[in-house]
Amino acid sequence: MEFNQSFFQKKLKSGIEFFNKNKLNEAIECFKILQNEKTTQIIAFLYLGIIEIKKNNNENAKKYFFKILELDKNHEFANLNLGLIFFQEKNLKNTIDYFNKTLNINQENLLAKYHLGLIELMNKEYEKAKKKFKDILLKEPKNLNALNNLGICYLKQINFKKAINLFKQCLNINNKNKQAILNLANCLFQTKDFKNSIINYNKVLDIDK
């Protein structure tokens, strides 16, 4: 049976609507049809891969993203999603590879930049990590994850003043941010400000109640 482009466009619209409503089985039915049409193959593979991630089927998800790269090796979101999966699997070599590919395609991809910054922080490459987090904050000044991790970089470098300032910036944005409170408490403890450190540790315990 032959279908015209109008049919595929309607299927695409329906698939996206089902996906947005979290009706994943109905979305899969649409995208399975669309994967056989050249004009909609890549977007079908992308959605099918994301659905597999939602269903915690990373191996199946990777197969879809690899199919995209066979058609377009410079597809930003296929590379990005592979990086995220490999990061979750703690395969740092592949994580770094796919996030670097993502940034080669789009230097402004903040998610790839953030995760590379996390890896550099874990590897004690603090200056490289700081640059990544600062780049993110230029675009998103209220990004709590970037602020927190930039503060951790300064804390690891024994620059307590800058670290404390960054953790307080987080709390100015969200005074119930548990990670920022805990980081601030740890920092104050290391500066021997035990009174304020204990106050912040107690705040963490209050949040957990």
Side-chain angles (χ1 to χ4, degrees):
M1 184 182 296
E2 291 187 5
F3 301 103
N4 58 31
Q5 284 302 308
S6 174
F7 169 83
F8 290 114
Q9 290 306 314
K10 286 177 182 177
K11 276 292 175 188
L12 179 59
K13 183 180 178 182
S14 296
I16 293 171
E17 286 176 354
F18 284 133
F19 177 86
N20 290 337
K21 292 176 182 177
N22 208 36
K23 294 182 177 181
L24 300 185
N25 289 333
E26 291 89 339
I28 288 170
E29 286 182 20
C30 293
F31 293 125
K32 288 277 191 182
I33 293 170
L34 293 166
Q35 71 179 343
N36 298 314
E37 163 59 25
K38 284 186 178 180
T39 60
T40 54
Q41 255 185 336
I42 287 179
I43 194 166
F45 289 148
L46 183 63
Y47 273 100
L48 287 167
I50 293 169
I51 289 169
E52 292 296 343
I53 290 175
K54 281 177 169 281
K55 294 167 69 177
N56 295 316
N57 294 328
N58 282 351
E59 289 306 311
N60 287 341
K62 283 191 281 190
K63 289 175 185 176
Y64 284 117
F65 299 134
F66 284 133
K67 284 182 180 181
I68 293 174
L69 295 181
E70 287 175 9
L71 298 169
D72 177 7
K73 68 178 182 180
N74 291 320
H75 194 282
E76 179 181 352
F77 296 105
N79 282 292
L80 176 67
N81 278 292
L82 284 167
L84 291 170
I85 291 172
F86 285 123
F87 183 85
Q88 185 182 348
E89 295 175 346
K90 299 181 180 179
N91 183 332
L92 296 187
K93 182 179 181 297
N94 283 345
T95 299
I96 292 168
D97 183 32
Y98 282 102
F99 282 144
N100 278 330
K101 286 178 180 177
T102 303
L103 289 177
N104 285 338
I105 298 161
N106 176 12
Q107 292 182 357
E108 302 302 315
N109 191 300
L110 301 187
L111 198 53
K113 194 169 288 191
Y114 173 73
H115 282 84
L116 283 173
L118 286 181
I119 292 169
E120 288 162 351
L121 174 56
M122 288 188 287
N123 289 338
K124 300 181 180 180
E125 298 176 290
Y126 300 125
E127 291 304 316
K128 287 183 179 180
K130 279 160 59 177
K131 185 178 186 310
K132 297 283 193 316
F133 298 135
K134 285 178 181 179
D135 284 349
I136 292 168
L137 291 167
L138 286 174
K139 300 288 184 183
E140 296 181 357
K142 294 185 178 181
N143 187 310
L144 293 175
N145 289 326
L147 279 168
N148 260 316
N149 283 290
L150 181 58
I152 291 170
C153 288
Y154 282 111
L155 175 59
K156 296 291 186 181
Q157 293 180 313
I158 322 297
N159 190 332
F160 298 123
K161 184 177 179 180
K162 282 192 175 182
I164 288 169
N165 180 52
L166 286 160
F167 299 140
K168 286 182 175 179
Q169 281 185 52
C170 289
L171 295 174
N172 285 337
I173 297 167
N174 178 1
N175 64 6
K176 301 229 182 259
N177 186 275
K178 182 179 173 182
Q179 191 59 56
I181 298 169
L182 184 59
N183 288 335
L184 180 60
N186 290 336
C187 199
L188 291 168
F189 186 86
Q190 290 191 48
T191 63
K192 298 187 176 4
D193 184 351
F194 300 121
K195 179 183 175 182
N196 285 314
S197 178
I198 290 169
I199 288 171
N200 281 282
Y201 281 130
N202 283 330
K203 286 180 181 178
V204 174
L205 294 175
D206 288 340
I207 291 172
D208 286 337
K209 285 181 181 178

